[in-house]
Amino acid sequence: MLPLVSCTGVPTPGPAPSTASAGTTDAGPSAVFTFGTASQPLGLDPALVSDVESYRITRQVMEGLVGVDQTTGQPTPLLATEWQNSDEGRSYTFKLRDKVTFQDGTPFDAASVCSNFNRWFNFPEALRQQATGSTFKGVFKAHADQAALSIYKGCTALAPDNVRIDLTQPFTGFLQALTLPAFAMSSPQALATQNADVLDQSRDGQAVSAYALHPVGTGPYSFDSWDGGSITLSSNKNYWGDKGQIGTIQFVTYDHPQTRMQALLDGKIDGYDTVTVGNFDQLVKRGQQIIQRDPFSVMYLGMNQEIPILQNLKVRQAIEMALDKDTLIRRFFIDNTAQASQFVPPKLSGFNNNAPSLGHNPAKAKELLAEAGYRGEELKFYYPLNVTRPYLPTPEKVYAEISRQLTAVGLNVKPVPVEWSEGYLQKVTSPGDHALHLLGWNGSYSDPDNFVGPLFGENTGEFGYQDPQVFSKIARARGLPDGKERTGEYQTINAQIAATVPAVPIAFPISALALSDRVLKYPASPVLNEVFTKVELKP
């Protein structure tokens, strides 16, 4: 029997704080852990990026008020030890952890919490357009320049260890949303001295601030350096919690699946993420550990209705019918990846078993194109190069097969390959000439709003989608208490989105990590909340 380790069930909890650093209390953690990443981070200020690799690193350096339980996915105490809500869910009061400092020595307190919230709320429009991805608006609906539309109302420091956050309306997923890396606490002093809101630096062609090249939080690891394709973190000597075994983390970028696998086999790295189908069997045959995460992402073909021909529903339906999802999943995704007919994964309330799906029907697709009066209008199809995402393991191959399927029904597809590191994400989520594009959404917390809200809660440059009824329903559903009515509302939302085909969900992918024999335990998490103090290594 080949030694394949599968953790598709509940992720293993990390060691209890009392046991983790036994024997190393004085000296501190000393192990070096090297992790292979699929791409460079787009920046290390989590409030202004939204990519997996940036978050992987900032999760080690920074913490939010609320953490995630590794087993249940529910909110747990982190920088806040307890909380209560009042005013029918419009006000949350947090008791803050005592004697916590940022890595620059400044105190973490209620004033620093409000400083962070007010910074996010007051991001100017120009900064939001320049950043590769800001999460605040997707969660709270608007910034200070449209305060009347925002769910966020204000932050009040009641005492050094007591802070209140007020909302303009109830928001059921508020605590869940606070677990997002984007809402981690930064040192206000570091934000100010490093001009965090001025993107006047450049890293691999990305505009970033000086702060985004040197983040400062309260987390178990401090930022050391970012040299070329390597980022180094070191154990935070003054960390309030469990320091674990690892004293130094090195994140090294290998942007090709084969080079990542070879680096593991050669002993250059201790683990890497986003194992591809092509490497899976090779790793098993070599006896490497593979840990699979429960699916909590959706991969999709995006369509932009700002392109005139795509405003025709029949053309969008034809594109859906042209796609053979079974072939795509079988060839390019790990076994047990499920086909998707909606954007909310099956494990979340609001998943609709009866969401309409047109199925694979090339003959009907051709009929619909003829009925729509399609005459070979060019469709620019954007896809990323030299990157592997948890939801999209081999973009170039997936593009080639989808392009073949679309061309077979008579669509005129023009390939537009874009290096991931040269702003692919920004290009396809901003207004532009992209007719079609490949992308996915990795869920960050266990609420259906985390999927449909950011994607379809308002008109965006990604889809040019206009459905005021759906926008209104999403806005209403997020404020409903958990229960039958809220679940039913999200099921209706899913069905309406599916019926109008603003994009085609293709798969709920399973993602996997490969680890060396040196690793005894790795805290695999469907929402990628993987802090390396929980990694256990052989002595």
Side-chain angles (χ1 to χ4, degrees):
M1 183 75 179
L2 294 167
L4 168 65
V5 177
S6 175
C7 288
T8 50
V10 175
T12 309
S18 59
T19 63
S21 304
T24 60
T25 307
D26 296 327
S30 58
V32 177
F33 188 74
T34 306
F35 194 86
T37 63
S39 63
Q40 289 261 44
L42 297 180
L44 298 179
D45 178 353
L48 292 174
V49 292
S50 59
D51 63 298
V52 168
E53 299 303 351
S54 299
Y55 284 169
R56 191 193 307 281
I57 294 162
T58 63
R59 273 188 165 109
Q60 319 300 326
V61 176
M62 302 164 74
E63 298 170 310
L65 296 178
V66 183
V68 180
D69 184 277
Q70 287 292 104
T71 305
T72 65
Q74 292 303 303
T76 58
L78 195 55
L79 289 177
T81 56
E82 56 187 86
W83 48 81
Q84 58 187 34
N85 73 70
S86 56
D87 190 19
E88 299 179 320
R90 292 182 184 85
S91 184
Y92 286 78
T93 304
F94 296 88
K95 177 82 164 61
L96 304 181
R97 195 173 291 281
D98 285 335
K99 298 174 184 173
V100 175
T101 58
F102 289 102
Q103 292 139 6
D104 58 6
T106 59
F108 165 74
D109 56 17
S112 60
V113 173
C114 288
S115 180
N116 276 271
F117 269 92
N118 291 331
R119 176 200 177 212
W120 305 326
F121 184 51
N122 287 287
F123 278 152
E125 174 73 18
L127 175 65
R128 277 139 45 194
Q129 289 184 351
Q130 198 181 5
T132 60
S134 170
T135 300
F136 186 90
K137 186 179 179 184
V139 171
F140 292 100
K141 305 319 293 175
H143 290 269
D145 54 3
Q146 292 182 300
L149 302 177
S150 184
I151 289 174
Y152 176 77
K153 185 176 182 180
C155 179
T156 306
L158 303 172
D161 66 347
N162 213 273
V163 67
R164 187 182 74 234
I165 296 169
D166 294 308
L167 309 177
T168 60
Q169 62 192 68
F171 174 23
T172 304
F174 175 62
L175 289 173
Q176 292 274 17
L178 290 189
T179 68
L180 291 170
F183 302 130
M185 295 289 123
S186 289
S187 158
Q189 178 175 292
L191 290 171
T193 57
Q194 298 183 85
N195 293 321
D197 295 349
V198 180
L199 309 190
D200 57 356
Q201 309 284 312
S202 181
R203 171 66 66 164
D204 294 328
Q206 298 288 344
V208 295
S209 69
Y211 179 76
L213 300 176
H214 198 296
V216 180
T218 63
Y221 296 96
S222 301
F223 176 85
D224 272 0
S225 63
W226 186 349
D227 301 314
S230 177
I231 289 175
T232 304
L233 310 180
S234 60
S235 182
N236 173 9
K237 295 181 178 61
N238 299 314
Y239 183 54
W240 59 267
D242 169 22
K243 297 185 181 69
Q245 292 176 263
I246 296 168
T248 303
I249 309 172
Q250 295 173 332
F251 293 98
V252 183
T253 300
Y254 297 88
D255 57 14
H256 291 285
Q258 197 67 26
T259 57
R260 279 198 300 283
M261 182 182 75
Q262 199 57 51
L264 182 73
L265 297 176
D266 292 344
K268 293 178 180 176
I269 58 177
D270 298 299
Y272 74 88
D273 202 353
T274 57
V275 173
T276 60
V277 167
N279 291 340
F280 197 97
D281 289 344
Q282 297 177 62
L283 288 163
V284 172
K285 287 172 184 172
R286 298 288 192 98
Q288 298 294 323
Q289 296 186 72
I290 297 176
I291 293 182
Q292 294 179 204
R293 297 187 189 91
D294 282 344
F296 202 62
S297 64
V298 59
M299 177 259 161
Y300 58 82
L301 173 68
M303 293 183 273
N304 179 11
Q305 291 182 46
E306 290 300 314
I307 305 301
I309 192 65
L310 291 177
Q311 290 169 10
N312 190 313
L313 175 60
K314 288 184 176 180
V315 173
R316 301 197 304 277
Q317 289 174 327
I319 288 170
E320 179 178 352
M321 288 182 172
L323 296 183
D324 181 355
K325 297 178 186 179
D326 283 338
T327 294
L328 288 163
I329 290 169
R330 188 176 65 252
R331 291 182 61 182
F332 306 119
F333 293 88
I334 290 171
D335 283 353
N336 299 317
T337 289
Q339 192 177 132
S341 62
Q342 59 194 287
F343 286 84
V344 172
K347 69 187 295 183
L348 288 183
S349 64
F351 177 81
N352 188 342
N353 285 312
N354 301 310
S357 176
L358 299 173
H360 178 225
N361 189 338
K364 180 66 174 172
K366 291 177 183 177
E367 284 179 28
L368 285 174
L369 289 176
E371 290 171 19
Y374 177 74
R375 293 183 177 81
E377 288 91 338
E378 182 179 87
L379 298 172
K380 290 185 177 177
F381 190 161
Y382 280 60
Y383 64 97
L385 298 177
N386 294 324
V387 71
T388 307
R389 314 314 291 158
Y391 51 75
L392 189 57
T394 48
E396 296 93 339
K397 292 179 181 178
V398 172
Y399 161 77
E401 177 58 25
I402 289 179
S403 177
R404 185 192 67 75
Q405 294 174 6
L406 296 178
T407 303
V409 301
L411 289 157
N412 176 14
V413 173
K414 181 184 180 183
V416 184
V418 179
E419 291 279 345
W420 178 265
S421 61
E422 292 178 6
Y424 177 80
L425 196 58
Q426 204 160 14
K427 284 183 169 69
V428 299
T429 57
S430 303
D433 66 352
H434 52 92
L436 307 172
H437 66 277
L438 287 184
L439 205 58
W441 182 264
N442 205 92
S444 301
Y445 60 94
S446 296
D447 192 290
D449 184 68
N450 181 228
F451 284 82
V452 297
L455 292 172
F456 304 112
E458 62 180 351
N459 183 15
T460 65
E462 181 173 7
F463 303 117
Y465 172 65
Q466 293 277 15
D467 193 331
Q469 191 183 60
V470 167
F471 298 166
S472 172
K473 285 185 175 179
I474 290 173
R476 177 176 180 271
R478 65 200 336 253
L480 291 173
D482 280 325
K484 190 173 181 180
E485 184 184 1
R486 190 171 195 261
T487 297
E489 190 76 353
Y490 278 111
Q491 288 174 337
T492 301
I493 289 164
N494 279 330
Q496 281 192 239
I497 292 170
T500 55
V501 202
V504 184
I506 292 171
F508 295 122
I510 287 176
S511 66
L513 305 110
L515 301 166
S516 74
D517 290 343
R518 188 174 169 233
V519 180
L520 288 173
K521 189 181 289 183
Y522 182 93
S525 159
V527 298
L528 307 182
N529 183 45
E530 297 167 357
V531 179
F532 287 7
T533 51
K534 299 263 176 56
V535 173
E536 285 189 38
L537 303 173
K538 288 181 181 175

